[in-house]
PDB file of all heavy atoms in Angstrom:
ATOM      1  N   MET H  95      14.740 -37.365 -15.666  1.00  0.00           N
ATOM      2  CA  MET H  95      14.682 -35.925 -15.418  1.00  0.00           C
ATOM      3  C   MET H  95      14.101 -35.216 -16.637  1.00  0.00           C
ATOM      4  O   MET H  95      14.836 -34.773 -17.525  1.00  0.00           O
ATOM      5  CB  MET H  95      16.087 -35.385 -15.075  1.00  0.00           C
ATOM      6  CG  MET H  95      16.650 -35.976 -13.802  1.00  0.00           C
ATOM      7  SD  MET H  95      15.567 -35.777 -12.379  1.00  0.00           S
ATOM      8  CE  MET H  95      15.794 -34.042 -12.049  1.00  0.00           C
ATOM      9  N   LYS H  96      12.790 -35.113 -16.664  1.00  0.00           N
ATOM     10  CA  LYS H  96      12.103 -34.455 -17.778  1.00  0.00           C
ATOM     11  C   LYS H  96      12.181 -32.940 -17.588  1.00  0.00           C
ATOM     12  O   LYS H  96      12.559 -32.454 -16.534  1.00  0.00           O
ATOM     13  CB  LYS H  96      10.630 -34.898 -17.815  1.00  0.00           C
ATOM     14  CG  LYS H  96      10.422 -36.400 -17.790  1.00  0.00           C
ATOM     15  CD  LYS H  96      10.365 -36.923 -19.190  1.00  0.00           C
ATOM     16  CE  LYS H  96      10.417 -38.407 -19.395  1.00  0.00           C
ATOM     17  NZ  LYS H  96      10.538 -39.347 -18.375  1.00  0.00           N
ATOM     18  N   ARG H  97      11.767 -32.239 -18.630  1.00  0.00           N
ATOM     19  CA  ARG H  97      11.751 -30.769 -18.562  1.00  0.00           C
ATOM     20  C   ARG H  97      10.948 -30.291 -17.338  1.00  0.00           C
ATOM     21  O   ARG H  97      11.308 -29.331 -16.656  1.00  0.00           O
ATOM     22  CB  ARG H  97      11.133 -30.223 -19.853  1.00  0.00           C
ATOM     23  CG  ARG H  97      10.993 -28.726 -19.879  1.00  0.00           C
ATOM     24  CD  ARG H  97      10.341 -28.298 -21.176  1.00  0.00           C
ATOM     25  NE  ARG H  97      11.294 -28.253 -22.261  1.00  0.00           N
ATOM     26  CZ  ARG H  97      12.044 -27.193 -22.544  1.00  0.00           C
ATOM     27  NH1 ARG H  97      11.930 -26.119 -21.820  1.00  0.00           N
ATOM     28  NH2 ARG H  97      12.907 -27.214 -23.532  1.00  0.00           N
ATOM     29  N   LYS H  98       9.836 -31.051 -17.063  1.00  0.00           N
ATOM     30  CA  LYS H  98       8.968 -30.679 -15.931  1.00  0.00           C
ATOM     31  C   LYS H  98       9.757 -30.688 -14.607  1.00  0.00           C
ATOM     32  O   LYS H  98       9.565 -29.814 -13.760  1.00  0.00           O
ATOM     33  CB  LYS H  98       7.831 -31.707 -15.861  1.00  0.00           C
ATOM     34  CG  LYS H  98       6.694 -31.354 -14.975  1.00  0.00           C
ATOM     35  CD  LYS H  98       5.556 -32.348 -15.225  1.00  0.00           C
ATOM     36  CE  LYS H  98       4.645 -32.451 -14.026  1.00  0.00           C
ATOM     37  NZ  LYS H  98       5.064 -33.344 -12.988  1.00  0.00           N
ATOM     38  N   SER H  99      10.652 -31.685 -14.457  1.00  0.00           N
ATOM     39  CA  SER H  99      11.416 -31.778 -13.201  1.00  0.00           C
ATOM     40  C   SER H  99      12.318 -30.558 -13.039  1.00  0.00           C
ATOM     41  O   SER H  99      12.443 -30.000 -11.946  1.00  0.00           O
ATOM     42  CB  SER H  99      12.279 -33.035 -13.199  1.00  0.00           C
ATOM     43  OG  SER H  99      11.550 -34.144 -13.621  1.00  0.00           O
ATOM     44  N   HIS H 100      12.959 -30.145 -14.153  1.00  0.00           N
ATOM     45  CA  HIS H 100      13.849 -28.976 -14.084  1.00  0.00           C
ATOM     46  C   HIS H 100      13.048 -27.711 -13.808  1.00  0.00           C
ATOM     47  O   HIS H 100      13.449 -26.876 -12.990  1.00  0.00           O
ATOM     48  CB  HIS H 100      14.633 -28.821 -15.390  1.00  0.00           C
ATOM     49  CG  HIS H 100      15.588 -29.964 -15.624  1.00  0.00           C
ATOM     50  ND1 HIS H 100      16.677 -30.193 -14.814  1.00  0.00           N
ATOM     51  CD2 HIS H 100      15.612 -30.950 -16.551  1.00  0.00           C
ATOM     52  CE1 HIS H 100      17.331 -31.271 -15.241  1.00  0.00           C
ATOM     53  NE2 HIS H 100      16.696 -31.743 -16.295  1.00  0.00           N
ATOM     54  N   THR H 101      11.890 -27.579 -14.501  1.00  0.00           N
ATOM     55  CA  THR H 101      11.068 -26.383 -14.300  1.00  0.00           C
ATOM     56  C   THR H 101      10.600 -26.331 -12.849  1.00  0.00           C
ATOM     57  O   THR H 101      10.644 -25.273 -12.208  1.00  0.00           O
ATOM     58  CB  THR H 101       9.824 -26.428 -15.234  1.00  0.00           C
ATOM     59  OG1 THR H 101      10.271 -26.779 -16.525  1.00  0.00           O
ATOM     60  CG2 THR H 101       9.092 -25.117 -15.269  1.00  0.00           C
ATOM     61  N   ASP H 102      10.192 -27.480 -12.337  1.00  0.00           N
ATOM     62  CA  ASP H 102       9.713 -27.535 -10.947  1.00  0.00           C
ATOM     63  C   ASP H 102      10.809 -27.067  -9.990  1.00  0.00           C
ATOM     64  O   ASP H 102      10.567 -26.243  -9.095  1.00  0.00           O
ATOM     65  CB  ASP H 102       9.287 -28.980 -10.641  1.00  0.00           C
ATOM     66  CG  ASP H 102       8.996 -29.192  -9.172  1.00  0.00           C
ATOM     67  OD1 ASP H 102       8.404 -28.287  -8.570  1.00  0.00           O
ATOM     68  OD2 ASP H 102       9.348 -30.256  -8.633  1.00  0.00           O
ATOM     69  N   ALA H 103      12.023 -27.578 -10.201  1.00  0.00           N
ATOM     70  CA  ALA H 103      13.134 -27.200  -9.314  1.00  0.00           C
ATOM     71  C   ALA H 103      13.389 -25.696  -9.404  1.00  0.00           C
ATOM     72  O   ALA H 103      13.568 -25.019  -8.380  1.00  0.00           O
ATOM     73  CB  ALA H 103      14.384 -27.974  -9.691  1.00  0.00           C
ATOM     74  N   ASN H 104      13.362 -25.157 -10.628  1.00  0.00           N
ATOM     75  CA  ASN H 104      13.633 -23.720 -10.792  1.00  0.00           C
ATOM     76  C   ASN H 104      12.534 -22.866 -10.161  1.00  0.00           C
ATOM     77  O   ASN H 104      12.814 -21.830  -9.549  1.00  0.00           O
ATOM     78  CB  ASN H 104      13.788 -23.374 -12.275  1.00  0.00           C
ATOM     79  CG  ASN H 104      15.068 -23.995 -12.837  1.00  0.00           C
ATOM     80  OD1 ASN H 104      15.994 -24.303 -12.086  1.00  0.00           O
ATOM     81  ND2 ASN H 104      15.121 -24.201 -14.145  1.00  0.00           N
ATOM     82  N   ILE H 105      11.280 -23.321 -10.314  1.00  0.00           N
ATOM     83  CA  ILE H 105      10.170 -22.558  -9.709  1.00  0.00           C
ATOM     84  C   ILE H 105      10.327 -22.545  -8.185  1.00  0.00           C
ATOM     85  O   ILE H 105      10.230 -21.502  -7.539  1.00  0.00           O
ATOM     86  CB  ILE H 105       8.795 -23.176 -10.097  1.00  0.00           C
ATOM     87  CG1 ILE H 105       8.508 -22.948 -11.577  1.00  0.00           C
ATOM     88  CG2 ILE H 105       7.673 -22.593  -9.250  1.00  0.00           C
ATOM     89  CD1 ILE H 105       7.233 -23.594 -12.081  1.00  0.00           C
ATOM     90  N   SER H 106      10.608 -23.733  -7.614  1.00  0.00           N
ATOM     91  CA  SER H 106      10.718 -23.812  -6.152  1.00  0.00           C
ATOM     92  C   SER H 106      11.870 -22.948  -5.643  1.00  0.00           C
ATOM     93  O   SER H 106      11.720 -22.214  -4.664  1.00  0.00           O
ATOM     94  CB  SER H 106      10.942 -25.255  -5.713  1.00  0.00           C
ATOM     95  OG  SER H 106       9.869 -26.040  -6.128  1.00  0.00           O
TER      96      SER H 106
END
Side-chain angles (χ1 to χ4, degrees):
M95 297 305 286
K96 309 269 169 359
R97 177 182 279 273
K98 192 170 156 276
S99 314
H100 295 294
T101 313
D102 170 40
N104 292 338
I105 290 176
S106 300

